[in-house]
């Protein structure tokens, strides 16, 4: 019965807040809830060495390939204003033991703060300044390195060196301008291997690699605008040809809020295609939390006087515990029953698809108290682990009233005090609405709690790094060789009549300069080359594993060969799959492998009259178009690379007309 009530409440509250799936949402839905969002786009720069040491950048190792381990325990430090950052305090509460796996090839003593920083990598600074200029930012007169605390263990020193390079720029989307707050250059963090209980393991091959962060104002009013802005910044960064590509080289932090909500940061979104559903669900999650606040206050509950009640319970009686839960408790975990006065119906309240409010607590218990999931059940669980009789007995033990809710929590005895504190803290937050926090993203469009949202209190000057003046003539020289603005690239592709479904691929792969080179050098049309790369080459790339010796220059060399040999460029469609798989093969050998032979138009047309007569004999009611199509199929292979198919078709049509006229 309780399970049915919980399911009914989950669906009822889903409808009560007016939740709609992203695919069915309209602009009016986002206006109704006051959707607002911005971006923090992180992009690795393609340099040979790291930002503040001279270890090589871009050298990656497997999880087992390491030469040493360093173990650390993090603790917060005071900011220059004498205050602690909330995120740092939360991480300190977790009592994590952080293990770093170091490979001598990609790490040094700088990473553990045993060596002062080297001067900033000049190539990285130059690349970052060029992107700042391309983003129409106002460049700072002097670069000041600061430290930003990170106690989640992702940086062994506990802080990241970062510097602002430009402020107040803008990008032009299809229908609006989006303001940019700033662009910074900073060190990348470690890659996490595991996070179980109080132990977290990282590897340091990515640590210290140069990274830029582009931060927008919260100007996006729909998830689609947000995704468009993310793609634009991605295209802009890649248009320089000076950033890394591939998994993890670019990541987005998505800041979302709704009317009356708070800024919540969805951290490390790896794919731009995830952004619309993630931001949609986060805005409605906040809308649901505001509805929960309304329900709590409607019960007459006051934050100042509300208190939970808890006590340790004995589960020795077999009828108290369902078999699935008993297996978990046989491990000797401590079990606590908690009463939540006046909160009946809140734990099963909808927050996001597949997640009731109780999951807000479950995920915090994993992160803050370090109790692995499953770590609790409750009186409104959609999949109950306790029998109805057991829940009633617990409620009686706790002297619960009709409008109360109950939680049963289990975990190691040492973690239980933090767990109880975490539950109470999250319930008290519900009285205020939406807590500011960082959340982890998933491919299904949902998120879970990751940490408290950092504040400005974690920033302080880096006394090991001197300011770097930026001369005006140096900035002017960088301004001279910037690539075309992305908004102008869109116009250029439209003017070229390149199919619109190729634009995203061409811009994300920075193929426009290659198209320009090929067309300018060999006099092909941008429409043909753009379509070839955006359709044919993309399809080949998607179906085959990339050979380590293949690069985009092979495409240029292919069209130079076709031009030099005076072949029809359509032959490239048949040569490219072979070249992609065997990039060292000579082009002449590629032609042999696809059975290409030289034919003149006259040689190709020689058998057409005979073939047409054969077609007529085998067709009762011969149709002109059917005849042409059949004949084209018969001589198509010989024509490829030798004559244009449009020219061949016209010649065949003329021949058929002549044949038909001569027999009349």
């Amino acid at each position: 019965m309780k399970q049915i009530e919980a399911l009914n409440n989950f669906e009822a509250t889903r409808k009560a807040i007016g939740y709609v799936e992203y695919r069915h949402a309209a602009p009016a839905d986002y206006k109704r809830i006051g959707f607002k969002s911005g971006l923090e786009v992180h992009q690795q720069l393609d340099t040979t060495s790291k930002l503040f040491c001279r270890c090589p950048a871009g050298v990656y190792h497997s999880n087992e390939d390491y030469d040493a381990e360093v173990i650390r325990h993090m603790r917060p430090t005071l900011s220059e204003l004498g205050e602690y950052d909330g995120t740092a305090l939360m991480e300190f509460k977790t009592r994590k033991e952080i293990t770093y796996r170091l490979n001598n090839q990609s790490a040094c003593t700088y990473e553990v703060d045993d060596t002062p920083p080297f001067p900033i990598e000049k190539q990285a600074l130059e690349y970052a300044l060029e992107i700042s200029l391309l983003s129409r930012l106002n460049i700072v007169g002097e670069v000041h390195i600061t430290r930003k605390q990170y106690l989640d263990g992702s940086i062994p020193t506990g802080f990241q060196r970062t510097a602002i390079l430009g402020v107040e720029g803008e990008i032009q989307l299809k229908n609006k301008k989006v303001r940019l707050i700033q662009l910074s250059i900073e060190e990348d963090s470690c890659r996490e291997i595991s996070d179980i209980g109080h132990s977290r393991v990282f590897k340091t091959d990515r640590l210290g690699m140069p990274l830029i962060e582009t931060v927008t104002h919260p100007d996006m009013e729909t998830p689609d605008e947000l995704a468009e802005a993310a793609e634009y910044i991605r295209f802009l960064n890649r248009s320089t040809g000076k950033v890394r590509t591939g998994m993890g080289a670019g990541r987005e932090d998505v800041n979302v809020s709704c009317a009356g909500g708070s800024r919540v940061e969805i951290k490390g979104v790896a794919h731009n295609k995830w952004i619309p559903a993630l931001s949609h669900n986060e805005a409605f999650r906040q809308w649901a939390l505001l509805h929960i606040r309304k329900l709590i206050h409607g019960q007459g509950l006051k934050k100042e006087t509300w208190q939970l009640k808890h006590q340790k319970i004995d589960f020795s009686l077999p009828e108290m515990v369902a078999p699935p839960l008993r297996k978990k408790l046989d491990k000797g975990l401590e079990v606590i029953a908690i009463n939540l006065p006046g909160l009946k119906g809140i734990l099963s309240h909808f927050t996001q698809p597949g997640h009731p409010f109780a999951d807000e607590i479950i995920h915090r218990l994993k992160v803050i108290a370090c109790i692995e999931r499953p770590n609790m059940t409750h009186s409104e669980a959609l999949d109950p682990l306790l029998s109805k009789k057991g829940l009633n007995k617990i409620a009686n033990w706790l002297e619960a009233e009709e409008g109360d809710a109950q939680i049963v929590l289990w975990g190691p005895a040492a973690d239980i005090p933090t767990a109880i504190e975490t539950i109470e803290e999250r319930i008290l937050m519900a009285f205020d609405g939406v807590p500011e926090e960082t959340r982890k993203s998933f491919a299904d469009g949902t998120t879970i709690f990751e940490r408290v949202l950092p504040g400005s209190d974690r920033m302080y000057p880096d006394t090991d790094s001197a300011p770097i003046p930026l001369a005006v003539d140096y900035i002017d020289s960088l301004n001279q060789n910037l690539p075309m603005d992305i908004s102008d690239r869109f116009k250029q592709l439209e003017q070229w009549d390149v199919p619109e479904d190729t634009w995203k691929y061409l811009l994300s792969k920075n193929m426009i300069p290659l198209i320009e080179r090929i067309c300018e050098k060999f006099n092909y049309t941008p429409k043909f080359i753009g379509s070839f790369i955006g359709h044919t080459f993309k399809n080949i790339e998607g179906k085959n594993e990339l050979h380590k010796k293949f690069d985009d220059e092979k495409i240029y060399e292919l069209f130079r060969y076709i031009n030099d040999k005076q072949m029809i460029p359509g032959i490239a469609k048949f040569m490219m799959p072979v070249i992609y798989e065997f990039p060292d093969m000579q082009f002449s050998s590629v032609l042999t492998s696809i059975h290409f032979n030289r034919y003149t138009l006259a040689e190709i047309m020689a058998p057409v009259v005979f073939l047409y007569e054969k077609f007529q004999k085998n067709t009762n009611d011969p149709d002109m178009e059917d005849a042409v199509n059949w004949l084209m199929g018969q001589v198509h292979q010989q024509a490829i690379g030798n004559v244009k198919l449009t020219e061949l078709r016209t010649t065949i049509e003329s021949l058929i007309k002549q044949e038909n006229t001569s027999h009349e």
Side-chain angles (χ1 to χ4, degrees), residues 33-200:
I33 67 173
F35 180 99
K36 187 164 64 172
S37 186
L39 289 164
E40 299 171 21
V41 180
H42 300 85
Q43 177 66 62
Q44 291 177 349
L45 300 174
D46 191 11
T47 59
T48 55
S49 61
K50 295 185 177 183
L51 191 59
F52 288 106
C53 70
R54 295 303 167 256
C55 290
V59 177
Y60 297 112
H61 312 288
S62 67
N63 293 348
E64 291 72 33
D65 183 14
Y66 59 96
D67 299 307
E69 286 187 333
V70 173
I71 296 176
R72 291 206 154 181
H73 299 87
M74 298 294 184
R75 65 175 60 189
T77 59
L78 290 169
S79 72
E80 61 179 327
L81 299 178
E83 298 175 349
Y84 287 110
D85 175 62
T87 304
L89 292 174
M90 188 217 81
E91 294 290 351
F92 183 61
K93 191 187 296 184
T94 67
R95 298 183 290 113
K96 289 280 189 182
E97 179 178 270
I98 314 296
T99 301
Y100 301 97
R101 294 179 178 176
L102 298 93
N103 186 293
N104 291 336
Q105 186 182 4
S106 60
C108 66
T109 52
Y110 166 76
E111 266 90 358
V112 289
D113 205 25
D114 281 349
T115 298
F118 286 66
I120 194 169
E121 221 281 340
K122 290 184 178 180
Q123 189 180 49
L125 180 61
E126 181 176 303
Y127 290 176
L129 286 169
E130 288 178 2
I131 294 173
S132 299
L133 291 167
L134 198 56
S135 304
R136 301 175 187 172
L137 289 156
N138 298 305
I139 307 301
V140 299
E142 197 170 63
V143 178
H144 291 265
I145 312 297
T146 60
R147 296 184 181 186
K148 186 190 298 183
Q149 278 194 37
Y150 273 94
L151 292 199
D152 62 352
S154 60
I155 298 181
T157 59
F159 63 85
Q160 175 194 59
R161 285 186 168 91
T162 179
I164 296 173
L165 300 184
V167 297
E168 294 305 324
E170 65 180 23
I171 56 175
Q172 177 65 56
L173 305 187
K174 288 181 182 178
N175 299 314
K176 68 187 302 181
K177 287 184 179 180
V178 170
R179 297 169 298 153
L180 304 181
I181 296 175
Q182 65 186 44
L183 185 145
S184 303
I185 188 169
E186 56 194 29
E187 301 171 288
D188 208 344
S189 57
C190 293
R191 291 197 286 175
E192 185 180 288
I193 296 175
S194 65
D195 183 8
I196 302 172
H198 293 280
S199 175
R200 189 174 287 161

Side-chain angles (χ1 to χ4, degrees), residues 282-552:
E282 172 54 32
F284 274 100
R285 186 188 74 90
Q286 295 190 28
W287 197 245
L289 293 178
L290 294 174
H291 188 254
I292 289 172
R293 180 182 68 179
K294 181 180 178 181
L295 294 176
I296 291 174
H297 289 294
Q299 294 292 327
L301 302 174
K302 302 294 183 184
K303 182 179 179 181
E304 296 76 15
T305 57
W306 187 89
Q307 282 187 320
L308 58 75
K309 180 180 180 181
H310 67 88
Q311 63 182 59
K312 183 178 178 180
I313 57 178
D314 181 6
F315 278 92
S316 60
L317 299 176
E319 70 272 13
M320 289 289 292
V321 187
L325 181 57
R326 178 169 293 282
K327 291 180 181 179
K328 303 178 187 305
L329 304 183
D330 285 343
K331 297 179 180 179
L333 303 178
E334 190 166 297
V335 185
I336 303 294
I338 302 173
N339 190 59
L340 308 177
L343 295 186
K344 183 177 180 179
I346 298 301
L347 295 177
S348 58
H349 192 293
F350 172 90
T351 54
Q352 50 181 332
H355 292 280
F357 178 76
D359 285 352
E360 298 272 323
I361 299 172
I362 290 170
H363 297 146
R364 281 182 175 246
L365 289 175
K366 163 68 173 82
V367 173
I368 300 175
C370 299
I371 304 177
E372 295 299 316
R373 296 172 290 181
N375 46 38
M376 61 166 260
T377 187
H378 55 93
S379 55
E380 299 169 21
L382 306 183
D383 185 19
L385 293 177
L386 283 174
S387 65
K388 182 179 178 182
K389 183 178 179 180
L391 282 170
N392 289 336
K393 195 157 191 176
I394 289 171
N396 291 333
W397 279 354
L398 294 172
E399 300 178 344
E401 298 182 2
E402 179 62 26
D404 297 351
Q406 292 79 44
I407 287 176
V408 176
L409 161 74
W410 58 88
D415 296 326
I416 292 298
T418 301
I420 295 171
E421 181 184 335
T422 298
I423 292 173
E424 184 171 44
E425 183 180 54
R426 184 62 189 90
I427 295 295
L428 291 175
M429 288 176 180
F431 281 79
D432 297 327
V434 183
E436 291 189 344
E437 61 191 28
T438 296
R439 299 182 67 83
K440 182 179 180 179
S441 62
F442 291 94
D444 65 358
T446 63
T447 59
I448 62 173
F449 173 79
E450 189 168 68
R451 66 178 71 97
V452 176
L453 192 67
S456 58
D457 295 337
R458 65 175 179 158
M459 299 283 289
Y460 52 99
D462 178 32
T463 53
D464 290 331
S465 301
I468 306 168
L470 298 176
V472 174
D473 56 349
Y474 171 61
I475 300 301
D476 287 342
S477 67
L478 296 179
N479 227 337
Q480 300 304 311
N481 298 307
L482 298 180
M484 186 182 292
D485 191 273
I486 296 301
S487 60
D488 292 331
R489 284 296 193 200
F490 280 116
K491 295 175 184 176
Q492 183 183 45
L493 288 168
E494 185 176 19
Q495 291 168 357
W496 284 349
D497 201 24
V498 174
E500 191 169 348
D501 63 349
T502 68
W503 294 4
K504 180 178 178 180
Y505 177 82
L506 296 174
L507 289 166
S508 66
K509 298 292 185 178
N510 193 29
M511 292 289 195
I512 312 297
L514 177 61
I515 295 172
E516 289 176 326
R517 283 179 61 209
I518 293 172
C519 294
E520 289 172 5
K521 186 69 174 178
F522 310 123
N523 203 31
Y524 296 127
T525 66
K527 180 180 180 180
F528 170 74
I529 300 299
S531 299
F532 173 81
I533 296 175
H535 286 153
T536 304
F537 181 75
K538 178 186 177 184
N539 185 55
I540 295 168
E541 185 181 52
K543 292 181 178 179
N544 299 277
E545 185 176 346
L546 178 65
H547 193 287
K548 62 181 181 180
K549 291 187 177 181
F550 183 90
D551 57 37
D552 296 344

